[in-house]
Amino acid sequence: DAKTTQPPSMDCAEGRAANLPCNHSTISGNEYVYWYRQIHSQGPQYIIHGLKNNETNEMASLIITEDRKSSTLILPHATLRDTAVYYCIVRVQGGSEKLVFGKGTKLTVNP
Amino acid sequence: NAGVTQTPKFQVLKTGQSMTLQCAQDMNHEYMSWYRQDPGMGLRLIHYSVGAGITDQGEVPNGYNVSRSTTEDFPLRLLSAAPSQTSVYFCASRPHREGSKNIQYFGAGTRLSVL
């Protein structure tokens, strides 16, 4: 699975959009970009994933660059409950069981 | 649906004791996995199973045993606990059906301390 690079921490004001970047310059053509988050002391939670098109669901939007070497997770109206560690993971769909979480980005939403 | 259920939530062991961490899922998922999470280390895969009767090692399997006799259950056994096994343990499952999104569902975790 391709490696990813994320900033270790970010801050965001409550009610504003949180934009979390991820670099995956060695991504292969059949690898998807997945985002998970882990709120303190809880199990990781799936947010969204995509292959090359932008995706949106009830939690977030995912913007993938045309060359697929980077992506941005957008939380449109961040709340205090969005404070968590966000992990960007690149893997093939149906691939090996191992999820390489890395260290992620610690997002702190401030009141 | 309850999703992925882990028991116990907390456990304290003495060095050398044995115990089993329980994991059950009610989503009929074929794949199940065990991870451990240590401060600053992220999640590391211990063992995983692609179906009943089939298990395989992850990146940190030493000191742990698993079995998968049913689709629903995937217990993790510590035969002789060591302080290095103090960690938070997460169980996860995902479907393996054509068209599935390959999304992992995680339990709430078991916090284990070995004294």
Side-chain angles (χ1 to χ4, degrees):
Chain A
D1 294 339
K3 292 189 182 298
T4 61
T5 303
Q6 299 177 252
S9 64
M10 294 182 65
D11 285 280
C12 176
E14 189 177 18
R16 304 296 295 269
N19 298 287
L20 291 88
C22 179
N23 286 323
H24 32 79
S25 58
T26 60
I27 191 170
S28 300
N30 62 344
E31 289 182 316
Y32 287 70
V33 180
Y34 287 80
W35 283 84
Y36 286 76
R37 73 179 182 183
Q38 187 173 24
I39 297 171
H40 181 63
S41 298
Q42 297 181 22
Q45 175 191 25
Y46 165 83
I47 302 172
I48 198 168
H49 77 290
L51 181 62
K52 54 184 177 181
N53 297 324
N54 298 338
E55 302 287 345
T56 296
N57 63 19
E58 65 278 5
M59 292 182 66
S61 295
L62 174 61
I63 308 298
I64 302 174
T65 58
E66 192 169 344
D67 63 8
R68 302 210 321 123
K69 293 184 177 182
S70 65
S71 60
T72 301
L73 178 74
I74 301 172
L75 307 178
H77 306 286
T79 70
L80 299 179
R81 286 177 292 183
D82 291 322
T83 292
V85 178
Y86 287 78
Y87 297 98
C88 169
I89 298 164
V90 173
R91 61 176 296 177
V92 299
Q93 200 157 21
S96 69
E97 191 56 24
K98 178 179 174 179
L99 281 185
V100 181
F101 275 80
K103 297 188 176 181
T105 297
K106 168 66 175 179
L107 174 69
T108 302
V109 181
N110 300 304
Chain B
N1 286 347
V4 179
T5 303
Q6 292 184 236
T7 56
K9 289 185 171 24
F10 301 93
Q11 185 70 49
V12 179
L13 292 177
K14 294 181 179 179
T15 298
Q17 286 185 314
S18 63
M19 80 159 295
T20 299
L21 281 63
Q22 301 292 343
C23 177
Q25 53 93 6
D26 60 0
M27 298 173 282
N28 201 31
H29 287 172
E30 292 82 359
Y31 281 132
M32 295 187 74
S33 309
W34 276 102
Y35 295 85
R36 60 177 289 174
Q37 186 171 34
D38 303 298
M41 295 290 290
L43 281 85
R44 293 183 291 170
L45 182 66
I46 304 172
H47 285 286
Y48 67 97
S49 169
V50 300
I54 305 170
T55 63
D56 207 345
Q57 296 181 351
E59 51 185 320
V60 288
N62 292 339
Y64 307 96
N65 281 353
V66 292
S67 60
R68 184 95 179 271
S69 56
T70 67
T71 299
E72 294 78 19
D73 300 299
F74 191 43
L76 179 71
R77 281 182 286 276
L78 284 70
L79 299 179
S80 179
S84 61
Q85 294 178 304
T86 293
S87 187
V88 181
Y89 292 84
F90 290 102
C91 179
S93 74
R94 73 168 175 85
H96 181 53
R97 293 184 284 274
E98 189 169 344
S100 70
K101 297 180 180 179
N102 203 33
I103 298 168
Q104 291 251 42
Y105 296 85
F106 286 82
T110 294
R111 282 142 189 85
L112 176 67
S113 291
V114 183
L115 307 178

